[in-house]
Amino acid sequence: SKLYELRCDADGIQLMWPLPDHIDSAKVYSVIDVAKDVDGIHYIGQLEIGNKDAYPPVTPAAAFDLMEKFNLDIEGKRVLVIGRSPIVGSPVAHMARERGGAVTVVHSKVPEDTLKDLVGTAEIIITCAGSPGLIKAEWINGAEVINVGTTFIEELDSLVSDVDGDIAKHTSRYSPVPGGVGPLSAPILLRNVAKAAWAQMSTTGAVLENGWERETAKLRKTYHFGTYKEALDAAKKVDELSTVMDHHTNMTFTHKCVNGVDLEMEFFTFEANQITEKDYAAAQAVDELLSKN
């Protein structure tokens, strides 16, 4: 309920991860309007349906800003991403693939021998596990290392990375901990919030690449059919799909005499009174369904 209230008052929403075990994280994150998703929990899904304006997760974006600043070229390189969380490891791997890297993803459950071999052959290592000492510095064979995963150790009164040992001795370059990626996260968040605020003032009526028009609280698209029967058949199929997805569309028919029939589809999430990830998923499903006709 608090998130629903924030949707009307805030330009951006960042929900801290991880959530307590008793909270349904999928349900909570689905409440966050894509237009206000300044920490990119919907980032990968939005890219897949053609929304190239989706905001990237703050920490991964900070890591790639750092790499670009220091001319670390990923294209064609063997990139090892260590970590798979939905807000850091997974988006980092996606971003690295988008930049042409040959990406391998591992995590803390991978056997040590396998992890050691992969670390030894990687040209670029991006650590996102948040597991101190998971990687031994001596396993690294001259790679460039971006330390994203950090953990505060009370006994040391300091942040430490996932790499244990003399990292300077075994790498060609590395980002320090503390420092490095961490201080860049707040400016990236501010940048996302500023973009979100501006976009919400200026994108009412914006049309996405897949033809859906994004309004303040709904998605809208019009399909044209040659006959009324074709339009009715399509509407019936969409209704059946909507029942399966438990997310129904509003449909409006406009008969244009000899010029056929327009069928307008409209999705919005009633409880939130805003566009949610569920609306985008339903819109994509309708496109796929009707493209088969």
Side-chain angles (χ1 to χ4, degrees), residues 157-171:
D157 192 30
S158 180
L159 287 172
V160 299
S161 76
D162 295 336
V163 181
D164 181 41
D166 189 353
I167 188 171
K169 180 179 178 181
H170 298 280
T171 62

Side-chain angles (χ1 to χ4, degrees), residues 32-35 42 45-46 49-51 206 208 210 212-215 218-219 245 247 267-269 274-287:
I32 298 176
D33 181 6
V34 172
H42 302 307
Q46 285 298 295
I49 64 169
N51 181 12
L208 305 180
N210 56 11
W212 286 86
E213 183 178 358
R214 183 174 60 207
E215 300 185 357
K218 64 187 68 173
L219 289 174
M245 297 187 71
H247 195 54
F267 279 108
F268 70 98
T269 299
Q274 291 280 353
I275 303 171
T276 66
E277 186 75 8
K278 195 172 185 180
D279 299 310
Y280 285 104
Q284 183 182 23
V286 168
D287 278 341

